[in-house]
Amino acid sequence: KGGTVTLFLRIADGSVHFGVADTGIGIAAEDLPKIFRRFYRTDEARTGPHDDSVRSLGLGLAIVKSIVEAHGGTIAVESQLGHGTRFTIAMPAAANSKLQQA
């Protein structure tokens, strides 16, 4: 509540970099290496952020990573508890793409 979500896009080094950053609760350092695993859920994700019944299955980030890597890209995450999280996807730009001309 009261936070911000930022979407970003840039072209650099022959790649398109895009993603999302927020000023939310962040992800604990010990969870970061695990969040792209299938069915992995942090303790908070198991119960929902407000102790409600809405629960994550732990598949979303695993699916995103699979799709990104299938297209020759990478996905990275940076996070700090209490300061938010930033996901960045880098995809190779097409050689004849109009994006490179922009």
Side-chain angles (χ1 to χ4, degrees):
K1 185 175 181 176
T4 62
V5 175
T6 304
L7 302 175
F8 57 91
L9 170 71
R10 69 182 171 88
I11 299 170
D13 306 321
S15 296
V16 177
H17 302 260
F18 61 97
V20 61
D22 67 33
T23 58
I25 62 171
I27 301 168
E30 62 269 14
D31 289 324
L32 283 174
K34 304 170 192 171
I35 63 171
F36 293 106
R37 292 183 193 166
R38 285 181 292 166
F39 305 111
Y40 181 77
R41 296 181 296 165
T42 64
D43 286 335
E44 181 160 317
R46 293 183 218 290
T47 59
H50 304 290
D51 247 355
D52 57 17
S53 62
V54 178
R55 299 169 62 135
S56 164
L57 295 176
L59 287 172
L61 290 173
I63 292 169
V64 169
K65 184 176 188 220
S66 294
I67 292 168
V68 168
E69 290 178 348
H71 292 283
T74 61
I75 184 168
V77 61
E78 303 168 54
S79 189
Q80 185 178 14
L81 283 178
H83 296 281
T85 304
R86 177 183 181 99
F87 286 91
T88 303
I89 295 172
M91 299 293 287
N96 62 356
S97 172
K98 291 183 180 182
L99 288 175
Q100 291 185 357
Q101 298 171 10

